[in-house]
Amino acid sequence: MSRIGKAPIAIPAGVKVEVKDNLVTVKGPKGELSQEINPDIKVAEEDGHIIVTRPDDEREHRAMHGLYRALIHNMVVGVSEGYKKEMELVGVGYRATASGQVLELSLGYSHAIFIKLPKEIKVEAKSERNKNPLILLESADKQLLGQVCAKIRSLRKPEPYKGKGIKFVGEIIRRKSGKSANAK
């Protein structure tokens, strides 16, 4: 049995879970999320917990068992607490400004980059003197948040020589030494 799949999901107060046909809908204070489930996998709500079961030990069913349990757990956590990501812009002249759902980035290119974010994501840009600019992203949907962060990061990935680029707060970039000074 899948270790992840067999673990029950606790439903916090204020969260409603509805299972209809192959669709699981989770509603909470931070929003509403839904996920389509394979018809072979059964989802049941029992005394404050969600239990995901599979019909047999077939390879495909074992894989989907843990996957759908994890997806449902991420939805429950998302609508109750939400997810946050902080990104840091490292580099001279790198700036970020947010106005509504549009994020404007100056990343050393000849032009500014404008990114229109989905309405499910809340964005905030912080700039303090003598500190790197920060981009704060918040959402109930973990998948969408990760995808948007990956897109923003892909605009200027951190490079190993000077460490310039867009990185997550707390991320450690492996640095290279560059040309060696005592080459003969």
Side-chain angles (χ1 to χ4, degrees), residues 116-134:
K116 187 162 181 353
L117 299 171
K119 66 180 184 307
E120 294 91 1
I121 293 184
K122 241 172 62 179
V123 65
E124 186 185 335
K126 282 186 184 175
S127 293
E128 288 183 37
R129 196 173 166 89
N130 297 329
K131 287 191 178 177
N132 293 327
L134 290 174

Side-chain angles (χ1 to χ4, degrees), residues 54-74:
R54 63 176 188 242
D56 54 38
D57 280 349
E58 202 175 298
R59 185 180 181 90
E60 191 179 345
H61 291 155
R62 286 197 320 257
M64 287 189 295
H65 188 210
L67 169 75
Y68 287 127
R69 190 263 176 208
L71 290 175
I72 294 168
H73 179 262
N74 288 344

